[in-house]
Amino acid sequence: MSISASQVKELREISGAGMMDCKTALTETNGDMEAAVDWLRAKGISKADKKAGRTAAEGLVGVASNGKKAVVVEVNSETDFVARNDAFQDIVRNVANVALTTDGSTAAVAAATYPSSGKSVVDTIKDAVGTIGENLSFRRSAALTVNEGVVATYIHNAVSDGLGKLGVLVAIETAGNADVAQAFGRQVAMHVAATNPLALTSAEVDPAAVEREKAIFSDSARQSGKPENIIEKMVEGRLRKFYEEVVLLSQAFVINPDLTVEAALKEAEKTIGAPAKITAFVRFALGEGIEKEETDFAAEVAAAVKK
């Protein structure tokens, strides 16, 4: 099949590999972009371990908490300029507070009554488009709750209290000192912000992701020419390393890299004063997974001048 220049360009941006390697990868995989990334990785050519979605949407992530429950929401705008607008920040802050009164699901928050307007969150945000002068949208929300313990929050790149570009929630079940657990939970939330783990435990990693990594490791190991029994051990070792990189409890704790997060939790139990368990986490990075159409600004200006 014919491979276009735009396909080669896209694969280069994703993988960091050279033009000819990208063209070969696409040819070998019949133009399948994801398979081409895996082909490059198996050959040891790709500089990127995973496809990173371009983060293009602007706006803010907001968090709100009452101790045993916390929520995180994302409201998008077209430009970062609007994200610094006080009126827009008030909207995001209010949406987070509204979310705290619901189960935290996106559908429930969207339909919940917004304070002062008497309308739903979605309708109120639509009304604000005319006032703020930009397209706005409520994208998503999530909540974590504990029966006993705390849900810690963290906002990275904060522009105001509880508002920023990245928000994290971490739930810790414990009967111990809530303030100490909250402080440790915030450290774990900072860790999650920095490392972006795929799952809390190895059992929770998407089986499809595990099989994909295993296939890549196997293909790469076979190129060494070693016997199958040695290859199997090599793949097992690579998978262990994979889990250490993507599983929260198995990761080296950014606050103290000599400990895993799980080991750091055990240490923290001494000051918390009771057994503690991290039960869940949520991480929202602004605009992740959304692609904004790229435009040629110079061409736009030139076209405007001609009108």
Side-chain angles (χ1 to χ4, degrees), residues 207-289:
V210 175
E211 288 305 313
R212 180 182 174 190
E213 293 300 314
K214 191 182 294 186
I216 292 169
F217 296 156
S218 297
D219 193 8
S220 181
R222 284 193 178 89
Q223 294 180 44
S224 67
K226 291 183 170 58
E228 281 297 318
N229 63 322
I230 300 298
I231 289 172
E232 189 175 329
K233 290 180 181 178
M234 290 172 66
V235 171
E236 287 175 1
R238 291 286 298 274
L239 276 178
R240 281 196 298 273
K241 182 67 175 174
F242 170 69
Y243 284 131
E244 289 172 7
E245 292 173 351
V246 304
V247 172
L248 174 58
L249 293 178
S250 302
Q251 288 178 327
F253 192 32
V254 293
I255 308 298
N256 180 0
D258 292 333
L259 300 175
T260 63
V261 172
E262 188 170 30
L265 177 64
K266 284 295 178 187
E267 285 290 312
E269 287 180 344
K270 297 173 184 176
T271 49
I272 292 173
K277 181 181 180 181
I278 299 172
T279 57
F281 71 90
V282 175
R283 181 184 188 274
F284 276 13
L286 178 68
E288 60 190 349

Side-chain angles (χ1 to χ4, degrees), residues 146 148-151 170-174 181 184-185 188 265 276-279:
V146 293
E148 190 173 37
V150 299
V151 181
V170 173
I172 299 180
E173 294 271 6
T174 183
F184 177 73
V188 176
L265 177 64
K277 181 181 180 181
I278 299 172
T279 57

Side-chain angles (χ1 to χ4, degrees), residues 6 16 22 52-54 66-67 100 136 144 151 159 163 175 180 191 197 209 231-232 270-271 296 298:
S6 62
C22 289
R54 288 183 296 168
N66 63 11
L100 203 55
L136 311 173
L144 292 180
V151 181
V159 298
L163 303 176
V180 177
H191 170 98
I231 289 172
E232 189 175 329
K270 297 173 184 176
T271 49
D296 185 334

